[in-house]
Amino acid sequence: MNAPEFILKRLWRHVGGVTAVEYGLIAGLIAVAIIAVVTTLGSDLTNIFNDISDGLQNAN
């Protein structure tokens, strides 16, 4: 068995790094989902507070 073939077979059997990459991808996807939800809710909350503020100003 030559050296490159041995290295490739050894890397193929080593799956610990794959797990770390998968966890990194999952964490990235969760971060993107959180950003999307916060952005959407932030806009909605801004509209709600503006409506409340307008209602309070019109009450005077």
Side-chain angles (χ1 to χ4, degrees):
M1 181 181 312
N2 57 19
E5 183 179 339
F6 175 75
I7 292 171
L8 287 175
K9 284 186 179 183
R10 188 172 156 210
L11 287 174
W12 185 259
R13 284 184 276 148
H14 183 68
V15 294
V18 174
T19 303
V21 170
E22 289 171 351
Y23 285 138
L25 289 173
I26 290 170
L29 290 173
I30 290 171
V32 168
I34 289 171
I35 291 170
V37 168
V38 168
T39 301
T40 303
L41 287 179
S43 299
D44 291 344
L45 286 175
T46 300
N47 292 336
I48 290 170
F49 284 123
N50 285 336
D51 291 343
I52 292 170
S53 176
D54 291 341
L56 291 174
Q57 288 175 357
N58 292 335
N60 289 334

